[in-house]
Amino acid sequence: MNKALDGEAVINSEIKPGIGQSTTQKNNLLRRAGLLLVLSDALWIVQAGLIASALASALSSLSVANGREVQLAFSYLTLMALLVGLVAIVRVLLQVTAQKRSRFVARQIKSRTRNELLNVAVSRSPALPFPTSGAFAVHIGEQVDLLGPYYQNYVPQVMRLKFVPVAIVLVTLWFSWLAALILIVSGPMIPIFMALIGSRAKAASADRQEELTRMSGTLLDRIKGMETLRLFGAVDRTREDIRRAGDAFRLGTMRVLKIAFLSSTVLELFSALGIAFCAVYVGFSLLGEFQVGTWGAPLSYAQGLFVLLLAPEFFAPLRAFAVAYHDRAAGLAAQQKLADLIDETGENVACSSARSLKKRRPDPFFFRRQLFALLRFR
């Protein structure tokens, strides 16, 4: 699975990237942004340990009557609060840096894609077939913009998905093998259902972009020819055509939203079940009703709280990946549309060049035929 995810975004440096695709240098920058997110999530493990230790110390200090021990506990809590705040600041800085880098790479890819589309539009012959102005405006506008969330959100989240859940499971396994087992069972169900739903999401996104291209082309062409439509009394029929195109686009958008809501429901269901099972297990273990799932000694308050703080963070990369998966579906669909446009235009240009070369190619028997015709005339 990891090789498939890597292969989707990585392009060989010796091969020129296609329209809307990233280069090896850009992929390396996106990986570094993903590693910054991984480091930020790893610091949450440290932060959760500090919070659990501080709260356990505060709970134990409530039953202490000695003033010196209370003062020591207060000093310890103050130190823990400062450390938690420091770690939180470092995490925010890492996340902001990762977002800036991924946004910068996505902006460069969009700019290069628009330049390639404009070069294709400028270099083509006016006699060759080409999309209408409205359709080309959709290609260079909305479909190129859909590449931004794909590279900005999806590619860094792949790196985060590889390392963060595994690290949290290993840390949880150190304290309770049963809590780690709950996370292992409930976690993989989310990518499985996302993969099943993702094929439908990609097809629905492609259909929606096709409807948008068709509607934009129809609308712009009708606006350009408004005077002609008025002269021939075809304004009402044109209004009906635009209404039908708008209804088709609206239905396509609702299909995409329906799939998005379905995937988010599945995601929240399994993540809520996993967190709930961990909370029930930790609660009954602290009450002494449940004595299995640990490596001998029962869970302490600090250990149980630490496991509970890690459980939501285990599902956080899965949630972010699920959200970015819809950006991936839209980005790949837009990338395919742009590639089809470039291929079609390239074939037309190649055919036109071949015809022009064929017309300009000198005939080696031209002068011989002219000589024979002249002798025959005589």
Side-chain angles (χ1 to χ4, degrees):
M1 179 180 178
N2 291 341
K3 291 182 179 180
L5 291 173
D6 287 338
E8 182 179 355
V10 177
I11 301 171
N12 191 352
S13 60
E14 298 178 356
I15 301 176
K16 183 180 179 180
I19 185 73
Q21 294 181 349
S22 177
T23 60
T24 304
Q25 181 182 5
K26 299 295 187 297
N27 284 323
N28 292 332
L29 292 176
L30 291 174
R31 286 197 191 94
R32 292 171 186 171
L35 291 177
L36 291 178
L37 294 177
V38 171
L39 182 58
S40 174
D41 290 335
L43 288 178
W44 168 250
I45 299 176
V46 178
Q47 191 175 5
L50 294 175
I51 294 174
S53 176
L55 292 179
S57 176
L59 183 64
S60 63
S61 64
L62 295 178
S63 58
V64 176
N66 190 353
R68 180 177 176 80
E69 293 183 1
V70 172
Q71 186 177 2
L72 291 176
F74 181 76
S75 300
Y76 179 75
L77 290 176
T78 304
L79 178 61
M80 290 294 104
L82 292 176
L83 291 177
V84 168
L86 180 61
V87 174
I89 293 174
V90 174
R91 291 188 64 213
V92 170
L93 292 176
L94 290 174
Q95 293 173 2
V96 170
T97 304
Q99 292 176 359
K100 286 183 177 179
R101 288 189 177 183
S102 60
R103 191 183 302 116
F104 174 74
V105 173
R107 191 182 301 115
Q108 285 188 332
I109 294 175
K110 291 193 298 181
S111 177
R112 178 174 57 83
T113 304
R114 285 196 173 94
N115 290 332
E116 291 178 0
L117 288 175
L118 290 175
N119 290 333
V120 170
V122 171
S123 61
R124 74 177 182 88
S125 173
L128 294 177
F130 198 74
T132 61
S133 300
F136 186 74
V138 173
H139 286 306
I140 204 170
E142 179 162 336
Q143 289 186 353
V144 174
D145 287 336
L146 290 175
L147 298 175
Y150 169 49
Y151 288 105
Q152 180 178 341
N153 300 331
Y154 177 77
V155 179
Q157 292 300 330
V158 171
M159 300 294 296
R160 189 184 178 197
L161 183 66
K162 289 179 183 178
F163 299 104
V164 176
V166 176
I168 291 178
V169 167
L170 292 177
V171 174
T172 305
L173 184 64
W174 180 266
F175 299 99
S176 173
W177 60 265
L178 185 56
L181 181 63
I182 293 173
L183 297 179
I184 291 174
V185 171
S186 59
M189 300 302 295
I190 296 175
I192 291 174
F193 279 94
M194 288 303 301
L196 295 176
I197 299 173
S199 59
R200 291 186 56 193
K202 183 179 179 181
S205 297
D207 294 339
R208 175 184 172 276
Q209 293 180 26
E210 185 69 27
E211 292 293 339
L212 178 60
T213 303
R214 188 181 301 111
M215 183 183 67
S216 300
T218 302
L219 181 60
L220 188 57
D221 291 340
R222 298 305 187 270
I223 291 175
K224 286 182 177 180
M226 183 60 67
E227 294 298 329
T228 305
L229 293 174
R230 286 177 179 174
L231 289 175
F232 287 95
V235 176
D236 294 335
R237 187 168 67 249
T238 302
R239 187 184 297 113
E240 185 66 22
D241 293 340
I242 294 175
R243 187 189 63 81
R244 283 197 297 267
D247 290 339
F249 177 70
R250 177 177 56 83
L251 293 176
T253 303
M254 294 306 297
R255 280 194 295 269
V256 174
L257 291 177
K258 189 185 299 182
I259 296 174
F261 284 129
L262 175 62
S263 62
S264 62
T265 302
V266 173
L267 169 67
E268 294 299 331
L269 173 63
F270 283 102
S271 61
L273 287 176
I275 296 172
F277 283 135
C278 284
V280 170
Y281 162 69
V282 171
F284 279 101
S285 297
L286 293 179
L287 291 175
E289 302 291 337
F290 208 69
Q291 300 296 331
V292 298
T294 59
W295 302 105
L299 282 177
S300 62
Y301 176 76
Q303 294 174 350
L305 182 59
F306 181 60
V307 171
L308 284 180
L309 290 174
L310 290 182
E313 195 66 20
F314 172 81
F315 293 98
L318 299 175
R319 290 179 176 178
F321 180 77
V323 173
Y325 200 82
H326 296 287
D327 296 332
R328 170 189 177 273
L332 291 181
Q335 196 176 88
Q336 185 62 40
K337 295 292 182 184
L338 297 176
D340 294 340
L341 174 64
I342 294 296
D343 293 340
E344 181 181 357
T345 307
E347 291 176 0
N348 293 330
V349 172
C351 294
S352 176
S353 300
R355 286 195 296 267
S356 61
L357 288 174
K358 185 177 180 180
K359 291 179 181 179
R360 292 194 301 265
R361 186 178 294 124
D363 187 1
F365 302 102
F366 175 76
F367 293 102
R368 183 181 301 179
R369 285 199 300 267
Q370 296 296 326
L371 179 60
F372 287 161
L374 181 61
L375 292 176
R376 187 180 306 155
F377 177 76
R378 289 183 177 180

